[in-house]
Every structure is written in C-alpha cells, then in structure tokens.
C-alpha cells in the first residue's frame, strides 16, 4: 500500500514562483471555473487543469528534464491543443485553453461537468475556496482531490481493498432486500468507487475524508454512509506514520506552489481521521436526510454501534459557505 502524491522537486519547481510554468498557475487562479489537480502514482506525475468534474489537460515530465509533455483530455475530441515534447521555457498555451473553454460552454453535452451548476460547479467552488483561494484563518485546507490509496499489485489490492469493498457491496444488497421500493432495486449494481472526493487537513491535525454530493442526488446522499465507510476503512487501515509523512509532504509542496495559503499553519502531528459528508443546495423538504439516517442506523446494526460515530455532515452554499446539516 502507498499514498504519496508529492511531485518530484524538479517538476514541482516548474509551477512554483519563478518557474517556467508559473504563468499557468496565475492563469488558473484568475479563472473561477478552473482548478488544479497535481499528483503522482506508480512513478507517473501530473499537473492537471480541471473544469468542475472534468480534466481539460495534463502536463507530464519526460525522461529529458528540459522537456514536458502536454496532453489534451480525450473527453474533448475537438480540443485544439496537440502539443508534445515542449520546452517549458517557451510553452504557453493560454489561448488554446481559452478555446477549449469556449467549446465546452457552447456544447450542451458537456454541461453535466460544470455548466449545469450542480455537482461539478460546486465541487470547483469548494476546492478553490479551501485551496487556491484559501485563507490563513480557514478551519481546514484541501490537500488532495480524487484521493486514492495505491497498491503495488493486483494481489495486494484484492487482499486489502477487495475485502473491504466486498463487505460494503454485501451491505448494499441487504439494504435493497430490506426495502427495495424505498431504497431502490438492484443496489448491488451501483458502483462504490475507491476515489475520495477530497482529503483535507484541519487546524487540530485531523484528516478529513470528504465525500461531496449535490442536493439533487437523493440516492447518492442517503447511500453515502456506505461510500464514506469504505473510504474510512481504507484510510484508517493505512499506517498512520506513513500517512502523516505523506500528508505533510503534500501540504508543504502545495503551500510552496500556492495551492494552500502560505500563512496557514501546519499542525504538529496527525490527530485523527474524520469522515465528512458535504452537500450543496440541500433540499430540507426532501427525503434524503431521513433515508440517510435510516441507512446509517442499519449500517450501525450491521457493522457495530461505533460505525462512523465521528461523522460530520455539512451543507455548502456559494454565499454562506459551510453550515451543519
């Protein structure tokens, strides 16, 4: 098992102050509909630009340290950037990014990623608010998005993740059997992913495992105890010392780049891991919260009364920010 998305120093420096790609940081920060996802997995590194739920492009280092590779997302077949093996000192594709944003805004089939002002739209706001636009007084900062615990091979993944995942898929099926009319038929066919929406760090030293839902996603909200429970089990099974080292390494790098506020003080050590559900535009008149409580109670009967006992739930709005749900 491994979890460390810290970029190599040579690659990170390209986008830090004085780096040849610093213009890209400034460009994204000015665009309210864009954000970064940086990371590393199995030796591969990337600096990606996202618009809501979708990646526009990614930048990768190559064996030749003087060259970078720019890849357009396959989502947009008409994407105008077709650049490979570019020298950072002369790479400026700002106009091309503007072109793809224009394409996205004019083509309705891409609305679900951002322009429909639902999940992708609010995830982007949340990510920027506690990331690139974060304040020194914020209760927490976002360290990672689409966070995943990695495994060295399939055998290790099946042994670790597979066993936990199977447990939650079984419970998902039991919930459907319990009341298929109320909770939906064939729930076992619904995917329970292994990518955590956001991993954050608060001032007390707690790691926040944040699952995000939009208020219109009723079934996603009331079934979220299963998804959150899966992430919680995965991260609590990860060696705490290694997790602390990785989180602090990622924090320091993001702070140097500017993806975390430079004055936000890092806690001395990791205290606890806390599961969090954040919902945007929550419908208080709907049935989601009632069903959520039912699923949570059922899960506690099955998994034990301590299941997600420290779970936090929040509503998030563009104007008011976070509030208790």
């Amino acid at each position: 098992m491994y979890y460390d998305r810290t970029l190599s120093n040579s690659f990170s420096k390209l986008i830090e102050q004085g780096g040849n790609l610093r213009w890209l940081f400034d460009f994204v920060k000015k665009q309210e509909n864009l954000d970064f996802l940086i990371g590393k997995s199995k030796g591969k590194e990337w600096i990606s630009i996202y618009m809501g739920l979708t990646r526009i492009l990614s930048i990768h280092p190559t064996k030749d340290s003087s060259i970078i590779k720019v890849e357009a997302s396959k989502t947009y077949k008409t994407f105008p950037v077709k650049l490979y093996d570019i020298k950072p000192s002369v790479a400026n594709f700002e106009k091309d990014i503007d072109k793809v944003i224009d394409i996205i805004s004019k083509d309705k089939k891409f609305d679900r990623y951002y322009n429909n002002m639902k999940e992708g739209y609010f995830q982007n706001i949340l990510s920027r608010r506690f990331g690139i636009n974060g304040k020194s007084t914020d209760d927490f900062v976002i360290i990672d998005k689409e966070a995943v615990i990695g495994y060295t091979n399939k055998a290790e993944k099946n042994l670790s993740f597979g066993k936990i995942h199977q447990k939650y898929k079984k419970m998902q099926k039991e919930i459907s059997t319990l009341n298929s009319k109320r909770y939906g038929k064939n729930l076992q066919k619904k995917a329970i992913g292994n990518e955590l929406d956001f991993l954050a760090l608060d001032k007390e030293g707690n790691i926040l495992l944040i699952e995000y839902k939009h208020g219109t996603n009723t079934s996603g909200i009331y079934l979220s105890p299963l998804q959150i429970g899966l992430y919680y089990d995965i991260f609590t099974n990860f060696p705490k010392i290694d997790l602390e080292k990785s989180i602090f390494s990622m924090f320091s790098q993001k702070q140097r780049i500017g993806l975390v506020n430079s004055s936000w003080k890092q806690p001395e050590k990791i205290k606890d891991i806390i599961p969090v559900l954040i919902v945007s535009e929550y419908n208080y008149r709907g049935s989601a919260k009632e069903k959520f409580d039912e699923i949570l109670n059922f899960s506690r009967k099955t998994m034990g009364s301590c299941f997600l006992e420290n779970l936090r739930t929040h509503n998030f709005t563009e104007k008011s920010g976070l509030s208790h749900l």
Side-chain angles (χ1 to χ4, degrees):
M1 296 175 68
Y2 61 89
Y3 177 68
D4 187 357
R5 311 250 273 191
T6 309
L7 301 178
S8 62
N9 287 333
S10 59
F11 190 43
S12 176
K13 284 180 179 179
L14 290 176
I15 201 168
E16 293 176 20
Q17 287 283 358
N20 286 322
L21 292 180
R22 188 62 182 180
W23 66 266
L24 185 61
F25 173 87
D26 297 330
F27 175 81
V28 171
K29 188 167 184 176
K30 291 176 183 177
Q31 301 278 344
E32 293 184 357
N33 55 350
L34 301 180
D35 197 19
F36 285 107
L37 173 61
I38 66 172
K40 179 180 67 178
S41 179
K42 293 183 178 180
K44 296 182 179 180
E45 302 179 80
W46 63 86
I47 298 171
S48 296
I49 300 175
Y50 269 67
M51 186 176 186
L53 299 175
T54 185
R55 175 174 53 86
I56 292 178
L57 61 82
S58 290
I59 302 164
H60 305 272
T62 65
K63 292 181 179 179
D64 183 348
S65 59
S66 66
I67 298 293
I68 57 170
K69 180 179 180 181
V70 179
E71 291 184 314
S73 171
K74 294 179 181 179
T75 304
Y76 311 110
K77 294 181 180 179
T78 56
F79 191 81
V81 178
K82 302 294 182 183
L83 304 178
Y84 298 90
D85 299 338
I86 303 299
K87 291 184 178 181
S89 58
V90 297
N92 191 317
F93 33 89
E94 187 173 320
K95 292 181 179 179
D96 294 306
I97 301 174
D98 283 331
K99 288 180 182 178
V100 77
I101 293 173
D102 184 60
I103 291 170
I104 295 169
S105 64
K106 291 179 178 179
D107 195 331
K108 294 294 182 182
K109 69 182 179 182
F110 299 130
D111 281 359
R112 67 185 184 275
Y113 297 121
Y114 182 83
N115 291 329
N116 61 1
M117 298 182 72
K118 291 186 179 180
E119 186 170 340
Y121 178 81
F122 282 98
Q123 275 206 27
N124 187 78
I125 294 173
L126 181 70
S127 179
R128 286 176 62 93
R129 170 62 187 83
F130 294 97
I132 202 168
N133 290 332
K135 304 174 182 177
S136 61
T137 55
D138 287 339
D139 291 333
F140 67 89
V141 293
I142 290 176
I143 301 296
D144 197 12
K145 300 188 296 184
E146 299 180 3
V148 180
I149 295 291
Y151 302 92
T152 54
N153 52 56
K154 287 186 177 180
E156 184 187 47
K157 184 175 182 179
N158 290 336
L159 183 64
S160 300
F161 172 77
K163 187 176 181 180
I164 297 173
H165 187 260
Q166 186 177 19
K167 177 176 63 175
Y168 284 97
K169 291 298 291 184
K170 180 182 178 182
M171 191 157 59
Q172 195 178 47
K173 184 178 180 180
E174 291 173 351
I175 291 169
S176 180
T177 305
L178 184 68
N179 193 331
S180 60
K181 185 176 181 179
R182 185 164 177 78
Y183 304 125
K185 297 179 181 179
N186 300 319
L187 283 185
Q188 67 273 21
K189 293 183 179 181
K190 285 185 174 289
I192 304 179
N194 67 331
E195 288 187 356
L196 176 69
D197 288 332
F198 297 103
L199 186 147
L201 180 67
D202 72 13
K203 287 191 170 183
E204 285 70 46
N206 297 307
I207 296 173
L208 308 181
L209 306 178
I210 301 174
E211 177 64 13
Y212 171 85
K213 302 294 181 186
H214 188 265
T216 56
N217 187 3
T218 302
S219 63
I221 294 172
Y222 67 71
L223 289 173
S224 63
L226 305 185
Q227 201 166 8
I228 296 170
L230 173 69
Y231 300 140
Y232 184 75
D233 282 358
I234 292 171
F235 276 90
T236 52
N237 284 340
F238 194 87
K240 188 175 180 180
I241 295 177
D242 295 338
L243 186 60
E244 179 179 88
K245 181 180 178 180
S246 296
I247 294 295
F248 287 167
S249 174
M250 293 162 66
F251 171 87
S252 296
Q253 185 170 83
K254 287 207 164 190
Q255 206 166 45
R256 291 196 304 273
I257 295 172
L259 299 176
V260 170
N261 185 281
S262 60
S263 298
W264 200 87
K265 188 177 179 181
Q266 175 186 297
E268 293 183 3
K269 62 180 181 179
I270 296 299
K271 180 180 177 183
D272 199 2
I273 298 177
I274 297 177
V276 180
L277 171 65
I278 296 179
V279 181
S280 286
E281 294 194 319
Y282 175 68
N283 179 11
Y284 286 91
R285 295 182 179 180
S287 62
K289 185 63 167 65
E290 182 181 356
K291 291 179 180 179
F292 171 87
D293 290 336
E294 292 169 2
I295 298 298
L296 185 59
N297 289 333
F298 174 82
S299 301
R300 285 172 174 166
K301 290 178 181 178
T302 304
M303 308 287 283
S305 58
C306 293
F307 177 75
L308 297 182
E309 61 179 348
N310 59 345
L311 175 66
R312 298 177 183 177
T313 58
H314 298 281
N315 184 31
F316 177 74
T317 64
E318 192 169 356
K319 292 183 178 180
S320 303
L322 287 172
S323 60
H324 290 291
L325 190 62

